[in-house]
Amino acid sequence: MADAERSSIEIKVLLKNLDPTKTSIKHKDRLRRLNKFRNYITAKPPPEFYDDDYPLMLLGSESPTAMEDEDLSHMTLYGLLRAAGCPSTDHKDSLKRSARPAMSLLRYLCLEFDEASSTPGVSNGTNNILGELNGFASALCALNIPQLRTLRLEIHIGKGESESGSRGGSKDDACHLLALILARHTDTDYETPKPIDVKVFL
């Protein structure tokens, strides 16, 4: 699975460049890297991913994948959930400007990225919340509440595209992901339904 190997590398490069604590990485650098990964996954046919890459993409160094891998444990990988909910250091109750494109990428991965279309003539309708979920959506829906809260959906939904401008996040993307989580949340086995209340987020 050479294609999946490349996907693993692309994920690691992206997550290493999302870390806001690195002063050498500016907003434009994070944005450029997010766009580059978006271009990678929108190629036809879409790339393949290893199962371990789904939680790695979402949680970075906090994922079981990273903690159980000796090489990855020495890297600082800033997961996409933390990037999408990264608070602004200069503006109270606001997000970093890069949080909005990170949230947009997360929505695409969970609700629009169609792994099955890499097989000619096959489509699994992954953009349907009630249909078969792709690997990213399944991994997202199996996260626990503290992990999901790092998305800071309350800011995206409460202030998205409002007076806060780009620092308010992306209300539309956040609402779609919230609907997915509320409809399909599971236990960590990815199968047993485990409904959660919307109040835990908002």
Side-chain angles (χ1 to χ4, degrees):
M1 295 182 71
D3 194 37
E5 287 288 349
R6 183 186 167 190
S7 293
S8 292
I9 295 170
E10 293 285 345
I11 287 175
K12 292 165 195 170
V13 171
L14 169 65
L15 301 188
K16 282 194 288 188
N17 283 278
L18 291 181
D19 188 350
T21 64
K22 292 182 179 178
T23 56
S24 60
I25 302 174
K26 307 300 183 187
H27 167 70
K28 64 180 181 180
D29 301 316
R30 290 191 290 272
L31 193 60
R32 185 183 303 117
R33 186 52 62 178
L34 285 163
N35 287 334
K36 187 171 183 180
F37 189 83
R38 181 81 174 240
N39 291 337
Y40 172 69
I41 58 169
T42 52
K44 298 296 181 184
E48 298 175 12
F49 292 89
Y50 292 123
D51 289 345
D52 288 346
D53 284 336
Y54 301 124
L56 178 66
M57 181 70 175
L58 300 182
L59 300 175
S61 294
E62 297 171 359
S63 69
T65 307
M67 290 188 279
E68 295 166 7
D69 186 298
E70 188 173 346
D71 293 331
L72 292 178
S73 66
H74 298 296
M75 297 182 189
T76 299
L77 301 175
Y78 205 78
L80 193 58
L81 262 70
R82 288 179 67 196
C86 188
S88 170
T89 52
D90 302 318
H91 301 79
K92 185 180 178 182
D93 296 327
S94 295
L95 302 166
K96 282 197 171 294
R97 287 175 295 162
S98 54
R100 178 184 283 190
M103 180 65 84
S104 177
L105 175 61
L106 182 61
R107 174 191 174 176
Y108 179 84
L109 288 172
C110 292
L111 292 169
E112 297 178 39
F113 177 69
D114 192 353
E115 298 165 299
S117 67
S118 60
T119 303
V122 176
S123 178
N124 64 0
T126 52
N127 61 344
N128 184 347
I129 288 176
L130 301 179
E132 183 180 348
L133 301 182
N134 67 25
F136 293 107
S138 295
L140 178 71
C141 289
L143 297 179
N144 60 40
I145 290 173
Q147 290 169 330
L148 291 169
R149 278 182 173 155
T150 61
L151 275 172
R152 299 176 71 90
L153 291 171
E154 72 281 5
I155 295 181
H156 281 280
I157 292 173
K159 301 179 78 172
E161 294 135 23
S162 66
E163 73 282 356
S164 299
S166 62
R167 295 189 185 279
S170 178
K171 185 173 184 176
D172 186 58
D173 293 326
C175 285
H176 278 83
L177 287 170
L178 179 59
L180 169 67
I181 294 165
L182 294 176
R184 304 297 295 273
H185 190 254
T186 68
D187 207 339
T188 53
D189 62 5
Y190 287 52
E191 294 180 3
T192 308
K194 191 176 181 180
I196 50 180
D197 194 314
V198 68
K199 292 177 183 176
V200 304
F201 297 114
L202 306 177

